[in-house]
């Protein structure tokens, strides 16, 4: 059986959208909402807000997930015809070594290439294995007959062109989904699917609810604006962080209680946990050590809101990510229960 969320993930990760160049993917999500008859608007920085009216229009809710991803920009065209990169977002060079990539020129042309360390060839370089991967030795080998900077420029490639990584999305028969950029396109797919169900089942939500598809999360200022003054609760749906000592896994919904920004709202956290308990939703409570979300960005930018963070567990984040359909399902269940629940009292 095909899973709608997995299908949406495949479509979303197939549209390159490094932070700063998210127009195409926003257009895709916008069309999806518009086809459902949902009112949408865009903010000036390129994010999308879809709104479902609720019984109570005095107090609102907002949920957010981000479509922007990690990526890079052409920093320099080297004399040998290779490209030096500048990274967009927080990741390590070793997590993109060997990756196929696309370079989008300002004119909109696409060229392909591979991200490699300069001294990759073991037949030539003794330190191919041990050399530190850094900005100076990592470069893009363009799939074109180019051996000089001028020849590269003749292709239309220039400093400032966006570089995106091959998402190499794959779904296994036993329910795993592997891809770059599951952070946070997995959550965007969940929100899209939840909105579809609400509309098609004619569900009237208790509160007017905004769904903010943010496009600058990876660089720290995605969902920190365009929060209506009526918004009381603000829930970020973003990947759960997995690793040694973490309880988050690929089969449950992760409820984040604290990240690098500090604790999330205690009352909302307890509300989410009790919703999970009451509805037999499999969940994990966790702390994400090196993490910030659009909800914490919103608090930092001065919004007086009750903020929370939940999401599907994603293994090997900002690298070769993987989750399981179970985690998508449990996250969707919790969001649906949350949308129908009362605002917490504070
Ligand atoms: Zn994220």
């Amino acid at each position: 059986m095909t899973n709608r969320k997995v299908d949406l993930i495949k479509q979303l990760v197939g549209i390159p959208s490094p932070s700063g160049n998210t127009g195409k993917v926003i257009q895709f999500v916008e069309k999806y909402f518009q086809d459902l008859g949902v009112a949408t608007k865009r903010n000036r920085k390129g994010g999308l807000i879809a709104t479902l009216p609720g019984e109570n229009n005095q107090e609102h809710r907002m949920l957010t997930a981000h479509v922007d991803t990690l990526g890079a920009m052409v920093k320099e065209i080297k004399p040998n015809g290779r490209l030096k990169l500048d990274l967009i977002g927080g990741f390590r060079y070793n997590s993109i070594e060997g990756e196929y990539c696309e370079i989008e020129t300002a004119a909109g042309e696409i060229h392909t290439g591979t991200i490699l360390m300069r001294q990759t060839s073991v037949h030539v370089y003794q330190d191919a294995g041990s050399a530190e991967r850094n900005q100076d030795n990592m470069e893009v080998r363009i799939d074109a007959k180019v051996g000089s900077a001028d020849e590269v420029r003749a292709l239309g490639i220039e400093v400032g062109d966006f570089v995106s990584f091959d998402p190499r999305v794959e779904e296994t028969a036993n329910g795993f989904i592997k891809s770059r950029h599951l952070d946070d396109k997995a959550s965007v797919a969940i929100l899209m699917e939840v909105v579809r169900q609400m509309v098609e089942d004619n569900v009237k939500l208790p509160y007017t609810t905004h769904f903010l598809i943010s496009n600058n999360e990876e660089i720290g200022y995605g969902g920190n604006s365009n929060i209506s003054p009526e918004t009381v609760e603000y829930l970020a749906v973003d990947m759960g962080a997995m690793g040694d000592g973490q309880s988050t896994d690929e089969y449950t919904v992760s409820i984040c209680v604290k990240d690098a920004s500090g604790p999330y709202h205690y009352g909302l956290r307890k509300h989410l946990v009790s919703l999970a308990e009451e509805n037999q939703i499999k969940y994990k409570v966790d702390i994400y050590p090196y993490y910030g979300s659009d909800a914490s960005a919103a608090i930092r930018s001065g919004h007086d809101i009750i903020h929370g963070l939940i999401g599907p567990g994603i293994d090997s984040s900002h690298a070769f990510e993987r989750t399981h359909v179970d985690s998508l399902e449990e996250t969707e269940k919790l969001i649906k229960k949350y949308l129908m629940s009362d605002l917490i009292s504070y």
Side-chain angles (χ1 to χ4, degrees):
M1 200 190 86
T2 61
N3 180 299
R4 285 175 188 269
K5 291 181 291 298
V6 173
D7 287 345
L8 284 170
I9 290 172
K10 286 180 181 169
Q11 293 177 71
L12 288 165
V13 300
I15 306 170
S17 57
S19 312
N21 188 14
T22 54
K24 287 192 199 103
V25 76
I26 286 287
Q27 217 170 17
F28 172 81
V29 182
E30 185 176 56
K31 181 169 186 314
Y32 178 93
F33 285 140
Q34 285 173 353
D35 288 350
L36 290 170
V38 176
T40 63
K41 63 173 187 189
R42 291 206 200 182
N43 59 21
R44 294 189 186 97
K45 58 185 174 181
L48 182 74
I49 301 136
T51 301
L52 294 179
E55 303 279 358
N56 179 342
N57 195 36
Q58 264 52 62
E59 295 174 299
H60 295 184
R61 262 192 179 121
M62 186 172 245
L63 282 80
T64 187
H66 67 92
V67 277
D68 62 313
T69 70
L70 307 173
M73 212 179 234
V74 176
K75 160 84 174 61
E76 214 174 292
I77 301 171
K78 296 184 177 184
N80 64 357
R82 302 282 172 108
L83 304 174
K84 186 168 178 174
L85 293 175
D86 203 49
L87 303 184
I88 298 170
F91 61 102
R92 306 282 173 252
Y93 277 100
N94 57 289
S95 72
I96 56 168
E97 183 173 6
E99 192 57 280
Y100 292 164
C101 65
E102 283 187 3
I103 306 124
E104 183 184 320
T105 70
E109 268 179 65
I110 305 294
H111 296 277
T112 62
T114 307
I115 300 167
L116 294 163
M117 187 177 65
R118 187 182 58 79
Q119 60 273 41
T120 291
S121 178
V122 294
H123 303 97
V124 179
Y125 302 100
Q126 207 172 23
D127 63 345
S130 59
E132 186 203 337
R133 276 62 178 157
N134 58 39
Q135 189 176 25
D136 290 325
N137 61 18
M138 295 296 285
E139 57 188 23
V140 176
R141 178 185 68 193
I142 306 167
D143 300 324
K145 287 182 175 174
V146 288
S148 71
D150 284 346
E151 287 171 343
V152 172
R153 290 203 156 87
L155 297 174
I157 293 173
E158 249 315 335
V159 171
D161 287 349
F162 280 93
V163 176
S164 57
F165 314 137
D166 188 341
R168 40 159 136 193
V169 59
E170 207 171 293
E171 180 189 4
T172 69
N174 58 358
F176 287 100
I177 175 144
K178 302 189 282 187
S179 176
R180 284 187 188 275
H181 315 317
L182 292 176
D183 171 18
D184 186 29
K185 289 180 171 176
S187 305
V188 174
I190 295 169
L191 291 189
M192 290 167 80
E193 170 60 7
V194 167
V195 170
R196 186 194 66 81
Q197 290 176 26
M198 297 292 150
V199 171
E200 290 185 356
D201 298 346
N202 266 314
V203 176
K204 183 81 170 171
L205 294 175
Y207 305 93
T208 294
T209 304
H210 308 283
F211 296 85
L212 169 58
I213 307 301
S214 95
N215 67 328
N216 293 109
E217 193 277 342
E218 294 292 0
I219 46 178
Y221 50 87
N224 63 352
S225 68
N226 306 90
I227 299 165
S228 67
E230 295 87 359
T231 299
V232 179
E233 291 181 0
Y234 182 110
L235 183 67
V237 186
D238 206 340
M239 55 138 239
M242 292 172 53
D244 289 342
Q246 298 294 101
S247 63
T248 298
D249 61 34
E250 294 161 283
Y251 317 111
T252 58
V253 53
S254 183
I255 300 172
C256 180
V257 296
K258 178 182 181 292
D259 65 16
S261 68
Y264 283 83
H265 191 282
Y266 197 19
L268 180 53
R269 174 253 273 230
K270 287 198 273 199
H271 178 54
L272 292 163
V273 168
S274 35
L275 283 174
E277 289 283 348
E278 285 158 20
N279 297 287
Q280 289 84 48
I281 296 167
K282 296 187 193 79
Y283 71 99
K284 293 283 163 57
V285 165
D286 222 342
I287 292 174
Y288 309 159
Y290 307 108
Y291 196 109
S293 72
D294 269 338
S296 52
I299 288 277
R300 271 187 210 287
S301 66
H303 290 278
D304 182 24
I305 44 168
I306 289 169
H307 73 315
L309 170 63
I310 64 169
I314 305 287
D315 187 60
S316 298
S317 57
H318 285 192
F320 302 98
E321 298 171 349
R322 189 184 77 168
T323 192
H324 192 275
V325 72
D326 288 354
S327 196
L328 305 178
E329 296 299 342
E330 300 306 300
T331 306
E332 177 188 319
K333 281 190 223 165
L334 182 56
I335 290 170
K336 287 196 286 195
K337 291 296 175 188
Y338 170 66
L339 287 177
M340 298 310 292
S341 70
D342 289 336
L343 291 172
I344 66 160
S345 42
Y346 56 94

